[in-house]
């Protein structure tokens, strides 16, 4: 199963990285460009997109996986 996709702070820019990967897939100057690219990867692989804020905390997540419907709990 493919790994989730993360948008993370990378130096003075933003990187798209697979969960558990040692290096970034691609680096961008803006967070929005990284989100757009990462969302495409997450949709293609039916995994979750997790977006980090500048403080390193998860600020948003977007699931493109096999979510149960109706949601549990």
């Amino acid at each position: 199963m493919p790994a989730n996709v993360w948008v993370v702070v990378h130096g003075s820019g933003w990187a798209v990285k697979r969960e558990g990967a040692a290096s970034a897939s691609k680096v961008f100057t803006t967070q929005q460009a990284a989100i757009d690219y990462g969302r495409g990867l997450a949709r293609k692989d039916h995994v979750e997109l997790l977006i980090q804020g500048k403080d390193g905390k998860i600020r948003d997540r977007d699931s493109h996986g096999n979510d149960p419907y109706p949601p549990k709990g």
Side-chain angles (χ1 to χ4, degrees):
M1 178 172 183
N4 289 331
V5 177
W6 284 76
V7 173
V8 298
V9 176
H10 183 81
S12 62
W14 298 88
V16 174
K17 187 175 176 181
R18 292 280 182 176
E19 196 167 296
S23 60
S25 301
K26 201 165 181 179
V27 178
F28 299 87
T29 55
T30 67
Q31 187 183 42
Q32 189 58 55
I35 290 169
D36 293 344
Y37 179 79
R39 184 168 282 125
L41 292 178
R43 281 186 182 145
K44 181 176 83 68
D45 292 341
H46 306 286
V47 296
E48 193 160 358
L49 173 67
L50 296 105
I51 303 166
Q52 245 185 21
K54 286 184 180 180
D55 60 2
K57 295 179 183 176
I58 295 174
R59 75 169 185 88
D60 201 4
R61 52 192 329 145
D62 193 2
S63 180
H64 297 282
N66 297 318
D67 296 332
Y69 186 80
K72 293 180 184 177

